[in-house]
Amino acid sequence: MIDPTPVLEVEHLQIDFLTRRGTVHAVRDVSFTIGRGETLGLVGESGSGKSVTAQALLGMIELPGRIVGGDVRWKGESLVRGPHVRRTIERVRGQEIAMVFQDPMTSLDPVFTVGSQVVEVLRRHRRLSRKAAKARAVELLDIVGIANPTERISQYPFEMSGGMRQRVLIAMALACEPELLVADEPTTALDVTIQAQILELVAKLQQELRLAVLLITHDLGVVAGVCDRVAVMYAGKIVEDAPAADLYATPAHPYSAALLRSTPRLDIVLDRLVAIEGAPPDLRRPPAGCAFATRCPFAIDHCREEQPRLEVFEPVPDAVGAGDAETLEELEQPARTERTVACFRAAEVREEVLS
């Protein structure tokens, strides 16, 4: 079951990057929450601000980047402001919030064995002896599904396949038994079969350890069977946040609908793949109105003149009655059932999808 009380709260987060050609407003007023045991998918095309948002959760924004507004709170404690914020981040990072990066070949050190890298995490954060840390490292490799962990622990990253390296990164992230796992494109550059195995592993660990998971990807197909909620990002903003089933069935933002249309399907044969025409705006000079207006078939003058706010679009009806607690538990309904959309014409978008 999902605990509705949020463990992570991101409120009006704003992140800029200083460049010679101007200031890039990479993240612009992003807000979301994650409850204990909940899986939130953060999706959007490359450059939408997903990875930068994730890095802010762990205090990894460094010059030329800077957090210029908003807050990130972990169990009510700010990770952005305060006299002891650096000490708080050092305590939380790795132990309570862990991250799986998108490219295991660049995330793992090629001159050290995978075992020594897992052991280092355990000795630094858990203060284990070398012998105890090595035994725990073998156990972790076994948990993430690596065969013959006692032998694999002595191998170097280049001796492993891409899927095995990604499993090692997941083992390192789980070493300190965190409460929130941030998975940044964990299936990038993996073939479809290995992608499915990695996603199945993340879902299995989430259920067994009651982890909260933030899954970042540009592939809507990846989050379909894993996430409770999906937040869609475009040009540094969240444009729609909804329960996964409802977003897939009836997207209410034109960008969400366009992403779904551009995803190839086995049950529909097309002469050409559907593409989203145009390009994202230059975030050194964000538009005055909706950032998607120049690519949107629903756009009107109001869309180009004023930025729509992320607001509750409509209550999403519960899938079961209030008294049917057993069925509710079986379906594992998300703690948050409302949908928020940043679009002046959300009703028209949804109606077209339904028609």
Side-chain angles (χ1 to χ4, degrees):
M1 288 291 290
I2 297 170
D3 186 342
T5 305
V7 289
L8 178 73
E9 300 168 274
V10 179
E11 290 190 351
H12 307 293
L13 184 65
Q14 300 175 54
I15 302 173
D16 288 352
F17 284 86
L18 307 177
T19 72
R20 293 181 179 179
R21 295 186 178 182
T23 300
V24 178
H25 306 286
V27 175
R28 306 183 297 143
D29 196 24
V30 164
S31 299
F32 62 85
T33 63
I34 303 179
R36 192 182 305 277
E38 182 178 25
T39 302
L40 171 67
L42 192 60
V43 303
E45 61 193 86
S46 297
S48 59
K50 308 182 300 296
S51 294
V52 173
T53 300
Q55 290 168 10
L57 308 183
L58 292 168
M60 296 171 63
I61 302 298
E62 298 180 348
L63 289 175
R66 60 179 182 176
I67 297 176
V68 296
D71 199 6
V72 177
R73 292 198 299 274
W74 173 250
K75 299 179 183 177
E77 193 172 10
S78 176
L79 301 180
V80 174
R81 291 176 176 78
H84 307 297
V85 65
R86 295 309 307 174
R87 190 182 305 168
T88 302
I89 289 173
E90 288 178 4
R91 171 176 55 82
V92 169
R93 183 195 293 160
Q95 296 199 68
E96 298 178 36
I97 303 177
M99 190 165 184
V100 178
F101 295 93
Q102 58 182 292
D103 188 351
M105 199 59 200
T106 57
S107 301
L108 293 169
D109 194 320
V111 301
F112 291 97
T113 64
V114 295
S116 66
Q117 294 179 64
V118 178
V119 165
E120 181 184 8
V121 173
L122 291 164
R123 297 202 69 192
R124 175 178 174 81
H125 292 289
R126 290 292 182 174
R127 309 296 181 188
L128 297 181
S129 66
R130 188 176 298 278
K131 183 178 180 180
K134 186 174 181 180
R136 177 58 177 162
V138 171
E139 184 182 348
L140 286 166
L141 293 184
D142 184 51
I143 288 173
V144 298
I146 292 180
N148 302 319
T150 53
E151 297 177 12
R152 298 291 188 180
I153 200 171
S154 301
Q155 291 187 324
Y156 292 88
F158 62 82
E159 297 180 282
M160 294 183 161
S161 66
M164 289 178 67
R165 288 194 293 264
Q166 195 62 274
R167 290 172 187 268
V168 171
L169 281 186
I170 294 173
M172 291 175 67
L174 295 176
C176 298
E177 302 176 10
E179 297 174 58
L180 171 63
L181 181 67
V182 180
D184 186 6
E185 303 271 13
T187 58
T188 297
L190 301 178
D191 63 58
V192 177
T193 304
I194 303 301
Q195 280 187 19
Q197 292 176 5
I198 295 298
L199 291 173
E200 184 180 342
L201 173 63
V202 171
K204 175 173 173 284
L205 293 171
Q206 190 261 351
Q207 292 292 327
E208 292 177 354
L209 306 177
R210 288 201 68 228
L211 288 171
V213 177
L214 175 61
L215 179 62
I216 299 169
T217 181
H218 61 271
D219 186 351
L220 277 170
V222 165
V223 302
V226 177
C227 297
D228 303 301
R229 278 176 36 234
V230 181
V232 181
M233 280 193 78
Y234 182 76
K237 284 179 170 283
I238 289 179
V239 296
E240 184 167 6
D241 183 344
D246 296 286
L247 182 93
Y248 279 82
T250 54
H253 192 279
Y255 181 59
S256 305
L259 282 178
L260 286 169
R261 281 198 303 271
S262 64
T263 303
R265 294 177 54 174
L266 294 175
D267 58 335
I268 299 178
V269 179
L270 299 173
D271 293 332
R272 292 178 62 87
L273 295 176
V274 178
I276 305 175
E277 296 183 359
D282 185 347
L283 292 183
R284 291 173 299 175
R285 294 177 292 277
C290 174
F292 192 62
T294 58
R295 309 172 74 183
C296 179
F298 294 89
I300 55 178
D301 290 341
H302 188 197
C303 301
R304 299 180 182 90
E305 296 166 358
E306 182 183 343
Q307 285 192 16
R309 295 168 56 188
L310 192 65
E311 297 178 330
V312 175
F313 172 56
E314 64 170 355
V316 177
D318 288 336
V320 292
D324 198 350
E326 291 182 1
T327 306
L328 181 63
E329 183 172 354
E330 288 174 4
L331 291 175
E332 297 184 47
Q333 294 295 310
R336 177 176 171 181
T337 55
E338 67 183 22
R339 177 195 299 235
T340 54
V341 183
C343 182
F344 296 124
R345 307 200 65 195
E348 290 90 337
V349 174
R350 189 167 183 269
E351 283 301 318
E352 179 171 293
V353 171
L354 288 172
S355 65

